[in-house]
Amino acid sequence: METGKISLTVGEGFVSDLVASPLHEFTQRYAGIQLDIHTAGTSGIIDAIVGDHSHIGLMFHERTHPQLRFWSSTPQPLMAILSPNHPLTSQTSPLTLTQLSDQPMAMWDTTHGVRQMVDQAFQQSRIAPRMAMNTNSMVILAQYVRSGMGITLLPAFAVAHDLELGTLVARPVDNPLFQRSQAHMVTRVGRQQPKASILLLRHLQRWMQAFRAPGSVSDQPTPLP
């Protein structure tokens, strides 16, 4: 368990949460284990797991697949992400899709689970959003909102550091689809995971904000053995 390689394919919205602290203790304790981390959209994550290119996948708003084993699924509502100076930040009640449709919006491209959920919600409501920018970059999404160019829609954990600093603000959206969204940790059904991979799965469940209920106060994670 002290050596070997573990491969992860993750949605880019998980990267900051993943690298911020969860991997720090793990890599210190198991310095001989090499981690290969790649980002992809939902389809790419599923392909990587089902095709045995990665041991672990982290994704949002899954598509049902018979070969995925869900180790952890945690509610993570999709939120409107705004700059602190945006007029909608002062509204105390959940924002509506009609209000959001009046704002220029930057969004993931259509391979991402978040974008698929957003498109579905607007289509069901028969409202057309103002899609001003499409990207596959979390850095671009966050900077677009920070600069005051417009808004985006993300789970809060994806911009947790900005929310703590006050450089971005998250507001709930009055949409049942957004309220049911979840973050998922997956492996392939039937694949025997190395012991180090099992340990990492459990470690990420304890440490990552994506796998804690929003607003919950988590105990300190158990130290690694």
Side-chain angles (χ1 to χ4, degrees):
M1 209 160 79
E2 301 293 334
T3 61
K5 180 190 294 185
I6 306 173
S7 177
L8 299 89
T9 301
V10 306
E12 196 177 353
F14 289 89
V15 170
S16 178
D17 186 15
L18 176 67
V19 177
S21 60
L23 293 186
H24 180 72
E25 184 186 0
F26 189 87
T27 53
Q28 283 194 322
R29 173 62 181 85
Y30 297 107
I33 294 176
Q34 176 184 331
L35 298 176
D36 286 355
I37 303 175
H38 304 274
T39 61
T42 305
S43 298
I45 296 168
I46 293 174
D47 290 345
I49 297 301
V50 172
D52 284 341
H53 304 300
S54 288
H55 296 93
I56 299 170
L58 305 180
M59 64 184 194
F60 189 80
H61 184 49
E62 91 289 354
R63 292 206 306 268
T64 302
H65 196 290
Q67 289 183 268
L68 291 182
R69 176 181 177 182
F70 290 81
W71 285 76
S72 182
S73 295
T74 305
Q76 292 290 348
L78 203 56
M79 309 283 280
I81 308 300
L82 315 167
S83 71
N85 299 321
H86 196 284
L88 291 178
T89 60
S90 61
Q91 181 169 318
T92 56
S93 58
L95 303 173
T96 66
L97 292 188
T98 299
Q99 288 176 302
L100 298 183
S101 69
D102 289 334
Q103 307 297 322
M105 185 182 301
M107 280 304 307
W108 293 116
D109 63 36
T110 55
T111 67
H112 284 259
V114 170
R115 174 60 181 274
Q116 293 161 12
M117 179 181 295
V118 169
D119 286 347
Q120 183 180 351
F122 277 101
Q123 288 168 5
Q124 289 176 350
S125 300
R126 298 186 178 183
I127 299 171
R130 288 178 59 189
M131 289 294 180
M133 184 181 295
N134 296 292
T135 181
N136 63 353
S137 168
M138 184 68 211
V139 173
I140 291 174
L141 285 178
Q143 188 57 40
Y144 176 88
V145 180
R146 285 191 212 104
S147 66
M149 294 175 66
I151 68 172
T152 192
L153 292 158
L154 293 168
F157 70 81
V159 288
H161 186 59
D162 275 289
L163 297 180
E164 291 173 5
L165 294 177
T167 50
L168 292 175
V169 175
R171 289 291 181 266
V173 180
D174 183 17
N175 182 269
L177 188 62
F178 290 0
Q179 296 303 314
R180 293 195 302 267
S181 61
Q182 295 183 319
H184 304 280
M185 185 181 301
V186 300
T187 62
R188 182 176 66 78
V189 169
R191 182 176 189 180
Q192 186 169 359
Q193 297 289 326
K195 290 183 179 179
S197 179
I198 298 293
L199 180 62
L200 180 59
L201 281 162
R202 293 172 178 165
H203 181 67
L204 297 182
Q205 282 180 281
R206 292 195 301 265
W207 276 89
M208 289 186 69
Q209 293 191 39
F211 300 104
R212 303 175 196 164
S216 66
V217 178
S218 180
D219 294 331
Q220 284 295 317
T222 305
L224 290 170

